[in-house]
Amino acid sequence: MRTALTDLVGVRHPLVQTGMGWVAGPRLVSAVAEAGALGILGSATMTPDGLRAAIRKVRSRTRQPFGVNLRADAGDARERVDILIEEGVRVASFALAPSRELIARLKDAGVVVVPSVGARRHAEKVAAWGADAVVVQGAEGGGHTGEVATSVLLPQVVDAVGIPVVAAGGFRDGRGLVAALAFGAAGVAMGTRFLLTADSTVPDAVKAVYLAATVRDVTVTTKVDGLPHRMLRTPFVAGLERSGRLGGLVRSLRHAAAFRALSGSGWAAMVRDGLAMRHGRELTWGQVLMAANTPVLLRAAMVDGRTDLGVMASGQVAGVIDDLPTCADLVGRVMAEAEEVLAALGAPGAAP
Ligand SMILES: Cc1cc2nc3c(=O)[nH]c(=O)nc-3n(C[C@H](O)[C@H](O)[C@H](O)COP(=O)(O)O)c2cc1C
């Protein structure tokens, strides 16, 4: 199926596996790329050296194009951008809007820039700054998320910008892809669906918790890092919701120290990142500190398999996913279903 997205990034299918910290590593990304979709490495939780090694690992496993997701507000974003350019990565994806300067630098080097946004005005801003496409994530999506549902946000953004729009938040199958195309999207991006595949390195015990979840077991909390964050409602998350300010601050300090060790970033870099996060937002220093929690708590679940004290970021769609296909099977099945739906709708040019 050819769309503005497949033309832009050179993949066979208009499907994207989004960059997810600790989840979207070389194994998942290369499996997605080999399946003909766009895989994106989640690099926010990697050191710069780790990022370079991960890019090379993907490259050793596939010749297909892939992308890297960066935190636009990270103090070392520029260094990471240089790594993408040096390593010849096809697509740069961003959590939060990147600066005009970063976009220009990547585009000058021939990298396709596709920021993820959760609001129309952010889409308008990055489009005006030269982004090649945007991923727009509706409220039902996993991880940090906004308030407006995909069904409302997607057509709003499609109407507002003149660049290809990729729909995210709540997608898992071929019907969803056709619905997104009907809204004017150039494809869909899926996080939770790709996390729940046989190729994802997330521990089996953690996948089992996702598979058992109903749509009502997925919640949004600000208690992890001060920003609305969609995740599975576990007893641990319920405990965070009940905890007071002081307990939260002590916990945050502990996790901030752990993150420093994991990410290799010094305290100065963390304070710089914290200042960048505060910029333009109503975050207290306590909340900035809490932000350092997220990578550590995600890691506990996604890498160490600690379902008891980890954070399991998740879209609502986890409640309607009940299997763990390979990426090849998943992509094949989504595309086959999309063709069937288009044919049933009598769409011109669709398979009979
Ligand atoms: C476990 C998990 C980790 C995530 N980490 C990131 C991240 O590091 N950077 C980012 O831009 N988005 C991140 N997201 C959001 C996804 O990239 C994507 O936008 C979202 O999952 C789409 O909604 P869906 O889960 O309904 O498919 C994460 C989502 C999940 C479920």
Side-chain angles (χ1 to χ4, degrees):
M1 185 182 288
R2 192 172 163 193
T3 70
L5 174 68
T6 60
D7 284 352
L8 182 66
V9 299
V11 289
R12 287 206 308 282
H13 308 299
L15 301 175
V16 178
Q17 163 259 306
T18 60
M20 294 173 277
W22 303 120
V23 175
R27 188 165 111 188
L28 183 62
V29 171
S30 53
V32 170
E34 283 293 286
L38 182 72
I40 298 181
L41 276 171
S43 90
T45 47
M46 295 174 185
T47 62
D49 285 346
L51 168 59
R52 196 185 291 275
I55 292 170
R56 291 183 178 174
K57 204 168 211 171
V58 177
R59 174 106 348 103
S60 73
R61 293 175 182 185
T62 182
R63 300 172 59 144
Q64 302 304 317
F66 62 95
V68 171
N69 175 261
L70 309 165
R71 257 184 54 202
D73 59 349
D76 59 4
R78 170 128 192 186
E79 181 189 348
R80 288 168 187 262
V81 159
D82 287 345
I83 292 173
L84 263 63
I85 293 171
E86 284 158 25
E87 297 293 328
V89 169
R90 184 87 186 99
V91 176
S93 139
F94 285 93
L96 304 176
S99 67
R100 190 194 291 261
E101 186 244 327
L102 279 186
I103 295 177
R105 194 170 168 76
L106 284 158
K107 287 193 66 171
D108 284 349
V111 183
V112 176
V113 180
V114 186
S116 287
V117 297
R120 185 191 62 186
R121 68 192 160 86
H122 295 152
E124 287 171 339
K125 187 169 79 176
V126 295
W129 287 354
D132 297 290
V134 279
V135 170
V136 47
Q137 182 183 325
E140 52 270 66
H144 289 123
T145 200
E147 284 178 358
V148 185
T150 304
S151 57
V152 175
L153 183 63
L154 174 60
Q156 189 191 25
V157 171
V158 166
D159 288 344
V161 298
I163 54 177
V165 176
V166 181
F171 294 98
R172 70 182 157 122
D173 59 14
R175 292 176 298 182
L177 170 59
V178 175
L181 295 175
F183 274 122
V188 296
M190 302 185 285
T192 306
R193 179 62 275 193
F194 278 107
L195 183 157
L196 293 171
T197 57
D199 296 302
S200 126
T201 54
V202 169
D204 289 344
V206 174
K207 288 180 185 169
V209 177
Y210 278 88
L211 292 179
T214 69
V215 283
R216 296 184 61 82
D217 295 326
V218 186
T219 190
V220 174
T221 181
T222 56
K223 285 286 184 159
V224 172
D225 59 10
L227 301 171
H229 203 155
R230 190 177 284 289
M231 61 187 66
L232 298 185
R233 188 203 324 264
T234 57
F236 173 72
V237 171
L240 283 183
E241 286 276 295
R242 284 192 303 268
S243 69
R245 277 193 107 164
L246 188 63
L249 206 60
V250 171
R251 204 181 46 239
S252 303
L253 265 172
R254 226 177 29 236
H255 291 137
F259 179 58
R260 190 177 152 262
L262 280 172
S263 64
S265 57
W267 285 109
M270 282 185 58
V271 170
R272 218 172 32 238
D273 283 2
L275 280 169
M277 287 187 70
R278 278 190 82 183
H279 184 71
R281 290 186 221 156
E282 300 290 309
L283 294 185
T284 64
W285 273 108
Q287 286 172 320
V288 168
L289 250 187
M290 280 164 67
N293 286 351
T294 313
V296 175
L297 293 178
L298 269 175
R299 183 181 200 278
M302 301 306 171
V303 180
D304 303 334
R306 294 292 301 266
T307 53
D308 53 340
L309 56 69
V311 158
M312 289 172 268
S314 175
Q316 284 179 332
V317 73
V320 285
I321 291 175
D322 55 15
D323 62 356
L324 299 169
T326 63
C327 289
D329 285 347
L330 176 64
V331 168
R333 150 177 131 186
V334 169
M335 294 314 301
E337 189 187 34
E339 297 288 355
E340 274 169 30
V341 172
L342 283 171
L345 290 171

